[in-house]
Amino acid sequence: MISTWYSIIKADETRLPDALADFEQIFQAGTNELNVAKGELISEVSRQLASKMAYYYTVLQELDAILEHFEGLFEYEKAAVIQHALKTNKHALTYSAVEKLANGDKHIYAIAQLIRDVKLQRNKMFGVVKGLETLQWQLGNITKLRVVGIEDATL
């Protein structure tokens, strides 16, 4: 089942911890998918690989969408803090000083931490997708070996 966390988070950003916990479970299941049992038929592993790849790639895309949502929120909130600082400060401030001031804002820092959390989970899921790609490559090479006469290749 494909998750719908992006839609949920767009409506209620406070659900991000629940989403990240769910994505962590999906990641753990994905790492288990990469462990092919010894003696498992190559044809069976190969047959299942496309659907697994599609599933985990879709999960990765959903994490990317969530990340883009929070990056957009970060930029919006940071711009609001900068605008407020420029309006309320009586002294002429350089842009870098105002940006440092904005980066020090607790709310901006909290959003930046959420972005880091989503990036970490996305990168972990990317590892699963790359692992499945590697498995696909390995199966292709084993199949090529079988074509040239090495029939006893098993996993």
Side-chain angles (χ1 to χ4, degrees):
M1 180 173 114
I2 302 297
S3 67
T4 58
W5 279 113
Y6 175 65
S7 300
I8 293 168
I9 288 172
K10 275 194 337 186
D12 182 7
E13 293 162 352
T14 62
R15 299 282 313 274
L16 182 64
D18 297 331
L20 291 176
D22 190 36
F23 284 122
E24 180 63 26
Q25 289 179 348
I26 294 169
F27 166 73
Q28 293 300 327
T31 57
N32 291 337
E33 298 278 2
L34 297 173
N35 296 324
V36 179
K38 185 175 181 175
E40 197 168 349
L41 292 176
I42 294 171
S43 59
E44 186 63 25
V45 174
S46 184
R47 185 184 65 76
Q48 296 172 359
L49 194 57
S51 64
K52 290 177 184 179
M53 184 69 166
Y55 173 73
Y56 289 106
Y57 186 75
T58 302
V59 172
L60 179 63
Q61 293 307 304
E62 187 163 15
L63 278 162
D64 275 336
I66 293 168
L67 179 60
E68 287 179 20
H69 172 77
F70 279 99
E71 286 174 338
L73 178 65
F74 177 82
E75 293 300 323
Y76 176 80
E77 295 292 337
K78 187 174 177 180
V81 169
I82 288 172
Q83 186 178 27
H84 178 71
L86 290 173
K87 283 183 180 178
T88 58
N89 200 313
K90 296 177 183 176
H91 304 288
L93 297 173
T94 64
Y95 181 77
S96 63
V98 174
E99 189 170 23
K100 286 180 183 179
L101 181 69
N103 287 337
D105 183 82
K106 287 181 182 180
H107 184 64
I108 299 300
Y109 183 79
I111 295 171
Q113 183 59 47
L114 294 175
I115 289 170
R116 285 188 288 277
D117 292 344
V118 174
K119 280 184 178 180
L120 174 63
Q121 196 61 54
R122 183 208 49 191
N123 291 343
K124 289 165 73 174
M125 196 61 64
F126 186 70
V128 170
V129 170
K130 293 304 282 181
L132 288 170
E133 287 176 355
T134 301
L135 180 58
Q136 183 178 19
W137 181 81
Q138 289 172 335
L139 289 173
N141 284 339
I142 291 169
T143 303
K144 288 175 187 174
L145 289 173
R146 292 180 91 184
V147 167
V148 296
I150 304 174
E151 294 295 326
D152 61 349
T154 58
L155 297 176

